[in-house]
Coordinates of all heavy atoms in Angstrom, one line a residue:
M28 N -63.3 8.3 107.4 CA -64.1 9.3 108.1 C -64.2 10.6 107.3 O -63.2 10.9 106.6 CB -63.6 9.6 109.6 CG -63.7 8.3 110.4 SD -63.8 8.9 112.2 CE -62.2 9.9 112.3
K29 N -65.2 11.3 107.4 CA -65.4 12.6 106.8 C -65.9 13.7 107.8 O -66.7 13.4 108.6 CB -66.5 12.5 105.6 CG -65.9 11.8 104.4 CD -66.8 11.9 103.3 CE -66.1 11.4 101.9 NZ -67.0 11.8 100.8
L30 N -65.4 14.8 107.7 CA -65.8 15.9 108.5 C -67.3 16.4 108.0 O -67.4 16.7 106.9 CB -65.0 17.1 108.2 CG -65.4 18.3 109.2 CD1 -65.4 18.2 110.7 CD2 -64.4 19.5 108.9
I31 N -68.2 16.3 109.0 CA -69.6 16.6 108.6 C -70.1 17.9 109.1 O -70.9 18.6 108.4 CB -70.5 15.4 109.1 CG1 -72.0 15.6 108.7 CG2 -70.5 15.5 110.7 CD1 -72.1 15.2 107.3
Y32 N -69.5 18.4 110.3 CA -70.0 19.8 110.8 C -69.0 20.3 111.7 O -68.4 19.5 112.6 CB -71.4 19.4 111.5 CG -72.1 20.8 111.9 CD1 -72.6 21.7 111.0 CD2 -72.3 20.9 113.3 CE1 -73.0 22.8 111.5 CE2 -72.9 22.1 113.7 CZ -73.2 23.0 112.9 OH -73.9 24.1 113.3
T33 N -68.9 21.5 111.7 CA -68.0 22.2 112.7 C -68.5 23.7 112.9 O -69.2 24.2 112.0 CB -66.5 22.3 112.4 OG1 -65.7 22.9 113.3 CG2 -66.3 23.0 111.0
H34 N -68.5 24.1 114.2 CA -69.0 25.4 114.5 C -68.3 25.8 115.8 O -68.0 24.9 116.7 CB -70.5 25.4 114.7 CG -71.2 26.7 114.7 ND1 -71.1 27.5 115.9 CD2 -71.7 27.3 113.6 CE1 -71.9 28.7 115.5 NE2 -72.2 28.5 114.2
E35 N -68.1 27.1 116.0 CA -67.5 27.6 117.2 C -68.4 27.4 118.5 O -67.9 27.3 119.6 CB -67.1 29.1 117.1 CG -68.4 29.9 117.0 CD -68.0 31.5 116.8 OE1 -67.0 31.8 117.4 OE2 -68.6 32.2 116.2
N36 N -69.7 27.3 118.1 CA -70.6 27.0 119.2 C -70.8 25.5 119.6 O -71.3 24.9 118.8 CB -72.0 27.6 118.8 CG -73.1 27.6 120.0 OD1 -73.0 26.7 120.9 ND2 -74.0 28.5 120.0
R37 N -70.2 25.1 120.7 CA -70.3 23.7 121.1 C -71.6 23.2 121.1 O -71.8 22.0 121.0 CB -69.5 23.5 122.3 CG -68.0 23.8 122.2 CD -67.3 23.9 123.6 NE -67.8 22.8 124.5 CZ -67.4 21.6 124.6 NH1 -66.4 21.2 123.8 NH2 -67.9 20.6 125.4
F38 N -72.6 24.0 121.6 CA -73.9 23.5 121.7 C -74.6 23.1 120.4 O -75.3 22.0 120.4 CB -74.8 24.6 122.3 CG -76.3 24.3 122.5 CD1 -76.6 23.5 123.6 CD2 -77.2 24.6 121.6 CE1 -77.9 23.1 123.7 CE2 -78.6 24.3 121.7 CZ -78.9 23.6 122.8
L39 N -74.2 23.8 119.4 CA -74.8 23.5 118.1 C -74.2 22.3 117.5 O -74.8 21.3 116.9 CB -74.5 24.6 117.1 CG -75.3 25.9 117.2 CD1 -74.9 27.0 116.2 CD2 -76.8 25.6 117.3
V40 N -72.9 22.0 117.7 CA -72.2 20.8 117.3 C -72.7 19.7 118.2 O -73.0 18.6 117.6 CB -70.7 20.8 117.5 CG1 -70.1 19.6 117.1 CG2 -70.1 22.1 116.8
G41 N -73.0 19.7 119.4 CA -73.6 18.8 120.3 C -75.0 18.3 119.8 O -75.3 17.1 119.9
N42 N -75.8 19.3 119.4 CA -77.0 19.1 118.9 C -76.9 18.4 117.6 O -77.8 17.3 117.6 CB -77.7 20.5 118.8 CG -79.2 20.4 118.5 OD1 -79.9 19.4 119.0 ND2 -79.8 21.1 117.5
A43 N -76.2 18.8 116.8 CA -76.0 17.9 115.5 C -75.6 16.5 115.8 O -76.1 15.4 115.1 CB -74.9 18.5 114.6
H44 N -74.8 16.3 116.8 CA -74.2 15.0 117.2 C -75.5 14.2 117.7 O -75.6 13.0 117.2 CB -73.2 15.2 118.3 CG -72.7 13.8 118.9 ND1 -73.1 13.5 120.2 CD2 -72.0 13.0 118.3 CE1 -72.6 12.2 120.3 NE2 -71.7 11.9 119.4
N45 N -76.3 14.8 118.5 CA -77.4 13.9 119.0 C -78.4 13.6 117.8 O -78.8 12.6 117.8 CB -78.1 14.8 120.1 CG -77.4 15.1 121.4 OD1 -76.5 14.2 121.6 ND2 -77.7 16.1 122.1
I46 N -78.5 14.5 117.0 CA -79.5 14.3 115.9 C -79.1 13.2 114.9 O -79.8 12.2 114.6 CB -79.8 15.7 115.1 CG1 -80.4 16.6 116.0 CG2 -80.4 15.3 113.8 CD1 -80.5 18.0 115.3
L47 N -77.8 13.2 114.8 CA -77.2 12.1 113.9 C -77.2 10.7 114.5 O -77.6 9.8 114.0 CB -75.8 12.5 113.5 CG -75.7 13.7 112.5 CD1 -74.3 14.1 112.3 CD2 -76.4 13.4 111.2
E48 N -76.9 10.8 115.9 CA -76.9 9.5 116.6 C -78.4 8.9 116.6 O -78.5 7.7 116.4 CB -76.4 9.7 118.1 CG -74.9 9.8 118.0 CD -74.4 9.3 119.4 OE1 -75.2 9.5 120.5 OE2 -73.3 8.7 119.5
Q49 N -79.4 9.7 116.8 CA -80.8 9.4 116.9 C -81.2 8.7 115.5 O -82.0 7.9 115.4 CB -81.6 10.5 117.3 CG -81.5 10.8 118.7 CD -82.3 12.0 119.1 OE1 -83.1 12.6 118.4 NE2 -82.3 12.2 120.4
A50 N -80.6 9.3 114.5 CA -80.8 8.9 113.0 C -80.0 7.6 112.7 O -80.1 7.2 111.6 CB -80.4 9.9 112.0
G51 N -79.2 7.1 113.7 CA -78.4 5.8 113.5 C -77.2 6.0 112.8 O -76.6 5.0 112.4
I52 N -76.7 7.3 112.7 CA -75.5 7.4 111.9 C -74.4 7.6 113.1 O -74.5 8.3 114.1 CB -75.5 8.7 111.2 CG1 -76.5 8.5 110.0 CG2 -74.1 9.1 110.7 CD1 -76.8 9.7 109.3
R53 N -73.2 6.8 112.9 CA -72.2 6.8 113.9 C -71.2 8.0 113.7 O -70.7 8.3 112.5 CB -71.4 5.5 113.9 CG -72.2 4.4 114.1 CD -71.5 3.1 114.4 NE -70.7 2.7 113.1 CZ -69.5 2.2 113.0 NH1 -69.0 1.8 114.2 NH2 -69.1 1.9 111.9
V54 N -71.2 8.9 114.6 CA -70.3 10.0 114.5 C -69.4 10.1 115.7 O -69.6 9.5 116.6 CB -71.0 11.3 114.4 CG1 -71.9 11.4 113.1 CG2 -72.1 11.4 115.6
V55 N -68.3 10.8 115.4 CA -67.4 11.1 116.7 C -67.0 12.7 116.7 O -67.0 13.2 115.7 CB -66.0 10.3 116.5 CG1 -66.3 8.8 116.5 CG2 -65.3 10.7 115.1
W56 N -66.6 13.1 117.8 CA -66.1 14.5 118.1 C -64.6 14.4 117.8 O -64.0 13.5 118.2 CB -66.4 14.7 119.5 CG -67.6 15.1 120.1 CD1 -68.7 14.2 120.7 CD2 -68.3 16.4 120.2 NE1 -69.8 15.0 121.0 CE2 -69.6 16.2 120.8 CE3 -67.8 17.7 119.9 CZ2 -70.4 17.2 121.1 CZ3 -68.8 18.7 120.0 CH2 -70.0 18.5 120.6
K57 N -64.3 15.6 117.4 CA -62.8 16.0 117.5 C -62.7 17.3 118.1 O -63.6 18.0 117.9 CB -62.1 15.8 116.2 CG -62.0 14.5 115.6 CD -61.1 14.6 114.4 CE -60.8 13.1 113.9 NZ -59.8 13.0 112.8
N58 N -61.8 17.6 118.9 CA -61.6 18.9 119.5 C -62.6 19.1 120.5 O -63.0 20.4 120.9 CB -61.6 20.0 118.5 CG -60.3 19.9 117.5 OD1 -59.3 19.2 117.8 ND2 -60.5 20.5 116.5
E59 N -63.3 18.1 121.1 CA -64.4 18.3 122.0 C -63.9 19.1 123.2 O -64.6 20.0 123.8 CB -64.9 17.0 122.5 CG -66.1 17.2 123.5 CD -66.7 15.8 123.8 OE1 -66.0 14.8 123.5 OE2 -67.8 15.9 124.5
F60 N -62.6 18.9 123.7 CA -62.1 19.6 124.9 C -61.0 20.6 124.6 O -60.4 21.1 125.5 CB -61.6 18.5 125.8 CG -62.6 17.5 126.3 CD1 -62.5 16.1 125.8 CD2 -63.7 17.8 126.9 CE1 -63.4 15.2 125.9 CE2 -64.7 16.7 127.3 CZ -64.6 15.6 126.8
A61 N -60.8 20.9 123.3 CA -59.9 21.8 122.9 C -60.2 23.3 123.4 O -59.1 24.0 123.6 CB -59.6 21.8 121.4
S62 N -61.4 23.6 123.7 CA -61.6 25.0 124.1 C -60.8 25.4 125.3 O -60.6 26.7 125.5 CB -63.2 25.2 124.2 OG -63.6 24.4 125.2
S63 N -60.5 24.4 126.2 CA -59.8 24.7 127.2 C -58.3 25.2 127.0 O -57.6 25.7 127.9 CB -59.7 23.5 128.2 OG -59.1 22.4 127.7
A64 N -57.9 25.0 125.7 CA -56.6 25.3 125.4 C -56.5 26.7 124.7 O -55.4 27.0 124.3 CB -55.9 24.2 124.4
I65 N -57.6 27.3 124.7 CA -57.7 28.7 124.0 C -56.6 29.6 124.8 O -56.5 29.7 126.1 CB -59.0 29.3 124.1 CG1 -59.8 28.8 123.0 CG2 -58.9 30.8 123.8 CD1 -61.2 29.2 123.0
G66 N -55.8 30.3 123.9 CA -54.8 31.0 124.5 C -53.4 30.6 124.0 O -52.5 31.3 123.7
E67 N -53.4 29.3 123.8 CA -52.1 28.8 123.0 C -52.2 28.8 121.5 O -51.3 28.9 120.9 CB -51.9 27.3 123.6 CG -51.5 27.2 125.1 CD -50.2 27.9 125.4 OE1 -49.2 28.0 124.5 OE2 -50.1 28.7 126.4
I68 N -53.5 28.5 121.1 CA -53.8 28.4 119.7 C -55.0 29.2 119.4 O -55.7 29.6 120.2 CB -53.9 26.8 119.3 CG1 -54.8 26.2 120.2 CG2 -52.7 26.0 119.1 CD1 -55.1 24.6 120.1
S69 N -55.2 29.5 118.2 CA -56.2 30.4 117.6 C -57.5 29.8 118.0 O -57.7 28.6 117.8 CB -56.0 30.7 116.2 OG -56.4 29.8 115.3
P70 N -58.6 30.6 118.2 CA -60.0 30.0 118.6 C -60.4 29.2 117.4 O -61.1 28.2 117.6 CB -60.7 31.2 118.9 CG -59.8 32.3 119.4 CD -58.5 31.9 118.6
F71 N -60.1 29.6 116.3 CA -60.6 28.9 115.0 C -60.2 27.5 115.1 O -61.0 26.6 114.6 CB -60.3 29.7 113.8 CG -60.9 29.2 112.6 CD1 -62.2 29.6 112.1 CD2 -60.2 28.2 111.6 CE1 -62.8 29.0 111.1 CE2 -60.9 27.7 110.6 CZ -62.1 28.2 110.2
D72 N -59.0 27.3 115.5 CA -58.4 25.9 115.4 C -59.1 25.0 116.5 O -58.9 23.7 116.4 CB -56.9 25.9 115.7 CG -56.3 26.4 114.4 OD1 -56.8 26.3 113.2 OD2 -55.1 26.9 114.6
T73 N -59.7 25.6 117.4 CA -60.3 24.7 118.5 C -61.9 24.5 118.4 O -62.4 24.0 119.3 CB -60.1 25.5 119.9 OG1 -60.9 26.6 119.8 CG2 -58.6 25.8 120.1
W74 N -62.3 24.9 117.4 CA -63.7 24.6 117.1 C -64.0 23.0 117.1 O -63.2 22.3 116.6 CB -64.3 24.9 115.6 CG -64.5 26.4 115.6 CD1 -64.0 27.5 116.2 CD2 -65.2 27.2 114.4 NE1 -64.5 28.7 115.9 CE2 -65.1 28.5 114.7 CE3 -65.8 26.7 113.3 CZ2 -65.7 29.5 113.9 CZ3 -66.4 27.6 112.6 CH2 -66.5 28.9 112.7
P75 N -65.0 22.7 117.8 CA -65.3 21.1 117.8 C -65.8 20.8 116.5 O -66.5 21.5 115.8 CB -66.3 21.1 118.9 CG -67.1 22.4 119.0 CD -65.9 23.4 118.7
E76 N -65.3 19.6 116.2 CA -65.6 19.0 114.8 C -66.5 17.8 115.1 O -66.2 17.0 116.0 CB -64.4 18.7 114.2 CG -63.6 19.9 113.8 CD -62.3 19.6 113.1 OE1 -61.9 18.4 113.1 OE2 -61.7 20.5 112.5
L77 N -67.3 17.5 114.2 CA -68.2 16.3 114.0 C -67.8 15.5 112.8 O -67.8 16.1 111.6 CB -69.6 16.5 114.1 CG -70.6 15.5 114.7 CD1 -70.3 15.3 116.1 CD2 -72.0 16.1 114.7
W78 N -67.3 14.1 113.1 CA -66.9 13.4 111.7 C -67.9 12.2 111.8 O -68.3 11.7 112.8 CB -65.6 12.9 112.0 CG -64.5 14.0 112.0 CD1 -64.4 15.0 112.8 CD2 -63.6 14.2 110.9 NE1 -63.3 15.9 112.4 CE2 -62.7 15.3 111.3 CE3 -63.2 13.5 109.8 CZ2 -61.7 15.8 110.5 CZ3 -62.1 13.9 109.0 CH2 -61.4 15.3 109.3
V79 N -68.2 11.7 110.5 CA -68.9 10.6 110.3 C -68.0 9.5 110.2 O -66.9 9.7 109.5 CB -70.0 10.6 109.1 CG1 -71.2 11.5 109.3 CG2 -69.3 11.0 107.9
I80 N -68.1 8.4 110.9 CA -67.3 7.3 110.8 C -67.3 6.5 109.5 O -66.4 6.2 108.9 CB -67.6 6.3 112.0 CG1 -67.3 7.0 113.2 CG2 -66.8 5.0 111.9 CD1 -67.7 6.3 114.6
D81 N -68.7 6.3 109.0 CA -68.7 5.6 107.7 C -68.9 6.5 106.7 O -69.9 7.3 106.6 CB -69.9 4.6 107.9 CG -69.9 3.6 106.7 OD1 -69.4 3.9 105.7 OD2 -70.7 2.5 106.9
D82 N -68.1 6.6 105.7 CA -68.2 7.6 104.5 C -69.5 7.4 103.8 O -70.1 8.4 103.2 CB -67.1 7.5 103.5 CG -65.8 7.9 104.2 OD1 -65.7 8.4 105.3 OD2 -64.8 7.9 103.4
S83 N -70.0 6.2 103.9 CA -71.4 6.0 103.1 C -72.5 6.6 103.8 O -73.7 6.9 103.2 CB -71.6 4.5 102.8 OG -71.9 4.0 104.2
D84 N -72.3 7.1 105.0 CA -73.4 7.8 105.8 C -73.3 9.4 105.4 O -74.2 10.1 105.8 CB -73.2 7.7 107.2 CG -73.7 6.2 107.7 OD1 -74.5 5.7 106.9 OD2 -73.2 5.8 108.8
Y85 N -72.3 9.7 104.7 CA -72.0 11.2 104.6 C -73.2 12.1 104.2 O -73.6 13.0 104.6 CB -70.7 11.4 103.8 CG -70.3 12.9 103.7 CD1 -69.7 13.5 104.8 CD2 -70.7 13.5 102.6 CE1 -69.3 14.9 104.7 CE2 -70.2 14.9 102.5 CZ -69.6 15.6 103.5 OH -69.3 16.9 103.4
E86 N -73.6 11.5 102.9 CA -74.7 12.4 102.3 C -75.9 12.5 103.1 O -76.6 13.5 103.1 CB -75.0 11.7 100.9 CG -73.9 12.1 99.9 CD -74.2 11.8 98.4 OE1 -75.5 11.6 98.2 OE2 -73.4 11.8 97.6
Q87 N -76.3 11.4 103.6 CA -77.5 11.4 104.5 C -77.4 12.2 105.7 O -78.3 13.0 106.2 CB -77.8 9.8 104.9 CG -79.2 9.7 105.8 CD -79.4 8.4 106.4 OE1 -78.5 7.6 106.2 NE2 -80.4 8.3 107.2
A88 N -76.2 12.2 106.2 CA -75.9 13.0 107.4 C -76.0 14.5 107.0 O -76.4 15.2 107.9 CB -74.4 12.7 108.0
M89 N -75.3 14.9 105.9 CA -75.4 16.3 105.5 C -76.8 16.7 105.4 O -77.1 17.8 105.7 CB -74.7 16.4 104.1 CG -73.1 16.5 104.2 SD -72.6 17.8 105.3 CE -72.9 19.0 104.1
Q90 N -77.6 15.8 104.8 CA -79.0 16.1 104.6 C -79.8 16.4 106.0 O -80.6 17.3 106.2 CB -79.7 15.0 103.8 CG -81.1 15.5 103.3 CD -81.6 14.6 102.3 OE1 -81.1 13.4 102.1 NE2 -82.6 14.9 101.6
I91 N -79.5 15.6 106.9 CA -80.1 15.6 108.3 C -79.5 16.9 108.8 O -80.4 17.6 109.5 CB -79.7 14.4 109.1 CG1 -80.4 13.1 108.5 CG2 -80.0 14.6 110.6 CD1 -79.9 11.9 109.1
I92 N -78.3 17.2 108.8 CA -77.7 18.5 109.4 C -78.4 19.6 108.7 O -78.8 20.6 109.5 CB -76.3 18.5 109.3 CG1 -75.6 17.4 110.1 CG2 -75.8 19.8 109.7 CD1 -75.7 17.7 111.5
S93 N -78.6 19.8 107.5 CA -79.1 20.8 107.0 C -80.5 21.1 107.3 O -81.0 22.3 107.4 CB -78.9 20.9 105.3 OG -79.5 19.8 104.8
T94 N -81.3 20.0 107.4 CA -82.6 19.9 107.8 C -82.9 20.5 109.1 O -83.5 21.4 109.5 CB -83.3 18.7 107.6 OG1 -83.2 18.2 106.2 CG2 -84.7 18.7 107.9
A95 N -81.9 20.1 110.1 CA -81.9 20.3 111.4 C -81.6 21.8 111.7 O -82.2 22.5 112.4 CB -80.9 19.4 112.2
L96 N -80.6 22.3 110.9 CA -80.2 23.6 111.1 C -81.3 24.7 110.6 O -81.5 25.7 111.2 CB -78.9 24.0 110.4 CG -77.7 23.3 110.9 CD1 -76.5 23.6 110.1 CD2 -77.5 23.6 112.4
S97 N -82.1 24.2 109.7 CA -83.2 25.1 109.2 C -84.3 25.3 110.2 O -85.2 25.9 110.0 CB -83.6 24.7 107.8 OG -84.3 23.3 107.9
A98 N -84.3 24.3 111.1 CA -85.4 24.0 112.0 C -84.9 24.4 113.5 O -85.5 23.9 114.4 CB -86.0 22.7 112.0
T99 N -83.8 25.0 113.5 CA -83.1 25.2 114.9 C -84.1 25.7 116.0 O -84.1 25.3 117.2 CB -81.9 26.0 114.8 OG1 -81.0 25.4 113.9 CG2 -81.3 26.2 116.2
N100 N -84.9 26.7 115.5 CA -85.7 27.3 116.6 C -87.1 26.7 116.7 O -87.9 27.2 117.4 CB -85.9 28.8 116.2 CG -84.6 29.6 116.2 OD1 -83.9 29.3 117.1 ND2 -84.4 30.5 115.2
A101 N -87.4 25.6 116.0 CA -88.6 25.1 116.1 C -88.6 24.2 117.4 O -87.6 23.6 117.8 CB -89.0 24.2 114.9
P102 N -89.8 24.0 118.0 CA -89.7 23.3 119.2 C -89.9 21.8 119.0 O -90.1 21.3 118.0 CB -91.2 23.6 119.8 CG -92.1 23.9 118.6 CD -91.0 24.6 117.6
E103 N -89.5 21.0 120.0 CA -89.6 19.6 120.0 C -91.0 19.2 119.9 O -91.9 20.1 120.2 CB -88.9 18.9 121.2 CG -87.3 19.1 121.3 CD -86.7 18.2 122.4 OE1 -87.6 17.9 123.4 OE2 -85.7 17.8 122.4
W104 N -91.1 18.0 119.4 CA -92.6 17.5 119.5 C -92.6 16.2 120.0 O -91.5 15.4 120.0 CB -93.2 17.5 118.0 CG -92.4 16.7 117.1 CD1 -91.3 17.1 116.3 CD2 -92.7 15.4 116.6 NE1 -90.9 16.2 115.5 CE2 -91.7 15.1 115.6 CE3 -93.6 14.4 116.8 CZ2 -91.5 13.9 114.9 CZ3 -93.5 13.2 116.1 CH2 -92.6 12.9 115.2
T105 N -93.7 15.8 120.6 CA -93.9 14.4 121.2 C -94.7 13.6 120.4 O -95.7 13.8 119.9 CB -94.6 14.6 122.5 OG1 -93.9 15.6 123.4 CG2 -94.7 13.3 123.4
C106 N -94.2 12.3 120.0 CA -94.8 11.3 119.4 C -96.1 10.9 119.9 O -96.2 10.6 121.2 CB -93.9 10.1 119.1 SG -94.6 8.8 118.2
G107 N -97.2 10.9 119.1 CA -98.4 10.3 119.6 C -98.5 8.9 119.8 O -99.5 8.4 120.4
S108 N -97.7 8.3 119.3 CA -97.7 6.8 119.4 C -96.9 6.3 120.7 O -97.4 5.3 121.3 CB -97.2 6.0 118.1 OG -98.1 6.4 117.0
C109 N -95.8 6.6 120.8 CA -94.9 6.1 121.8 C -94.5 7.2 122.8 O -93.7 6.9 123.9 CB -93.7 5.5 121.2 SG -92.6 6.7 120.4
N110 N -94.9 8.3 122.6 CA -94.5 9.5 123.6 C -93.0 9.8 123.8 O -92.7 10.4 124.6 CB -95.2 9.2 124.9 CG -96.6 9.3 125.1 OD1 -97.2 10.2 124.4 ND2 -97.2 8.4 125.8
E111 N -92.3 9.5 122.7 CA -90.9 9.8 122.7 C -90.8 11.4 122.3 O -91.7 11.7 121.4 CB -90.1 9.0 121.6 CG -89.7 7.7 122.3 CD -88.6 7.8 123.4 OE1 -87.8 9.0 123.4 OE2 -88.5 6.8 124.0
N112 N -89.9 12.1 122.8 CA -89.6 13.4 122.4 C -88.9 13.3 121.1 O -87.9 12.7 121.0 CB -88.9 14.2 123.4 CG -89.8 14.6 124.6 OD1 -91.0 14.8 124.3 ND2 -89.2 14.7 125.7
N113 N -89.2 14.2 120.1 CA -88.5 14.2 118.8 C -87.9 15.6 118.6 O -88.7 16.7 118.8 CB -89.4 13.8 117.7 CG -89.6 12.3 117.7 OD1 -88.9 11.6 117.1 ND2 -90.7 11.7 118.3
D114 N -86.7 15.8 118.0 CA -86.2 17.0 117.6 C -87.1 17.5 116.5 O -87.7 16.7 115.6 CB -84.9 16.9 117.0 CG -84.3 18.2 116.9 OD1 -84.5 18.8 115.8 OD2 -83.4 18.7 117.7
A115 N -87.2 18.8 116.3 CA -88.1 19.5 115.3 C -87.7 19.1 113.9 O -88.4 19.1 113.0 CB -88.1 20.8 115.4
A116 N -86.4 18.7 113.6 CA -85.8 18.3 112.4 C -86.5 17.0 111.9 O -86.6 16.9 110.6 CB -84.3 18.0 112.4
F117 N -87.1 16.3 112.8 CA -87.7 15.0 112.4 C -89.1 15.1 111.8 O -89.9 15.7 112.5 CB -87.7 13.9 113.4 CG -86.2 13.5 113.7 CD1 -85.7 13.8 115.0 CD2 -85.6 12.6 112.9 CE1 -84.4 13.4 115.2 CE2 -84.4 12.2 113.1 CZ -83.6 12.6 114.4
E118 N -89.5 14.5 110.7 CA -90.9 14.6 110.2 C -91.5 13.4 110.6 O -92.7 13.3 110.7 CB -90.9 14.6 108.7 CG -90.5 16.1 108.2 CD -91.4 17.2 108.9 OE1 -92.5 17.0 109.0 OE2 -90.8 18.2 109.1
T119 N -90.7 12.3 111.0 CA -91.3 11.0 111.7 C -90.7 10.7 113.0 O -89.5 11.1 113.1 CB -91.2 9.9 110.6 OG1 -89.9 9.7 110.3 CG2 -92.0 10.1 109.3
C120 N -91.3 10.0 113.8 CA -90.7 9.7 115.0 C -89.5 8.8 114.8 O -89.5 7.8 114.1 CB -91.7 8.9 115.8 SG -91.0 8.4 117.4
W121 N -88.3 9.1 115.5 CA -87.2 8.4 115.4 C -87.2 7.0 116.0 O -86.6 6.2 115.7 CB -85.9 9.2 116.0 CG -86.0 9.4 117.6 CD1 -86.6 10.4 118.2 CD2 -85.6 8.4 118.5 NE1 -86.6 10.1 119.6 CE2 -86.0 8.9 119.8 CE3 -85.1 7.1 118.4 CZ2 -85.6 8.3 120.9 CZ3 -84.6 6.6 119.7 CH2 -85.0 7.0 120.8
N122 N -88.1 6.9 116.9 CA -88.2 5.7 117.7 C -89.1 4.7 117.0 O -88.8 3.5 117.0 CB -88.9 6.0 119.0 CG -88.8 4.7 120.0 OD1 -87.7 4.1 120.1 ND2 -89.8 4.5 120.7
C123 N -90.3 5.2 116.5 CA -91.3 4.2 115.9 C -91.8 4.6 114.6 O -92.6 4.0 114.0 CB -92.6 4.1 116.9 SG -93.6 5.6 116.8
Q124 N -91.1 5.6 114.1 CA -91.4 6.1 112.7 C -92.8 6.4 112.4 O -93.2 6.5 111.2 CB -91.2 4.9 111.6 CG -89.6 4.8 111.3 CD -88.8 4.2 112.5 OE1 -89.3 3.1 113.0 NE2 -87.8 4.8 113.0
A125 N -93.6 6.8 113.4 CA -94.9 7.4 113.3 C -94.8 8.7 112.7 O -93.8 9.6 112.9 CB -95.7 7.4 114.7
E126 N -95.8 9.3 111.8 CA -95.9 10.5 111.3 C -95.9 11.5 112.5 O -96.7 11.3 113.4 CB -97.2 10.7 110.4 CG -96.9 9.8 109.2 CD -96.0 10.5 108.1 OE1 -96.0 11.7 108.0 OE2 -95.4 9.6 107.5
K127 N -95.2 12.6 112.1 CA -95.4 13.8 113.0 C -96.8 14.4 113.1 O -97.5 14.5 111.9 CB -94.4 14.9 112.5 CG -94.5 16.2 113.5 CD -93.5 17.1 113.0 CE -93.5 18.4 113.8 NZ -92.6 19.4 113.4
Q128 N -97.4 14.7 114.2 CA -98.7 15.1 114.3 C -98.6 16.4 115.2 O -97.9 16.6 116.0 CB -99.6 14.1 115.0 CG -99.8 12.9 114.2 CD -100.5 11.7 114.9 OE1 -100.7 11.9 116.1 NE2 -100.8 10.7 114.2
E129 N -99.5 17.5 114.6 CA -99.6 18.7 115.4 C -100.2 18.3 116.7 O -101.3 17.7 116.7 CB -100.4 19.7 114.6 CG -99.6 20.0 113.4 CD -98.3 20.6 113.6 OE1 -98.1 21.2 114.7 OE2 -97.4 20.4 112.8
T130 N -99.7 18.8 117.8 CA -100.3 18.5 119.1 C -101.0 19.7 119.6 O -100.4 20.8 119.4 CB -99.4 18.0 120.1 OG1 -98.2 18.7 120.2 CG2 -98.7 16.5 119.7
T131 N -101.9 19.6 120.5 CA -102.5 20.7 121.1 C -101.9 20.8 122.5 O -102.2 20.0 123.4 CB -104.1 20.7 121.2 OG1 -104.4 19.3 121.8 CG2 -104.6 20.6 119.7
Q132 N -101.2 21.9 122.8 CA -100.5 22.0 124.0 C -101.1 23.2 124.8 O -101.2 24.2 124.1 CB -99.0 22.1 123.8 CG -98.4 21.0 123.3 CD -96.8 21.0 123.1 OE1 -96.3 22.0 123.6 NE2 -96.2 20.0 122.7
Ligands
LIG205 ZN1 -93.0 7.2 118.4

């Protein structure tokens, strides 16, 4: 296993977790519940961590994460083919691989 991402903001780590799972990469949390232990150990040690289970997924996972982080503020988009919601990080639908299309909302 390799550490792929860690951040003090659990929401960001959770978001990264969802994105990687949707991309078919198997990941696991570490320290998911450690924040309840703050006071005993330094906050830095309690950051949730995201690990890729299969080392061969590491480079792809890193690319997905970096793409996702650069698009953090972009809105989700809805696939025109299957109506699945896609994270802004995706350029094609995670479900049916259709090209992203600008929608008129
Ligand atoms: Zn689709």
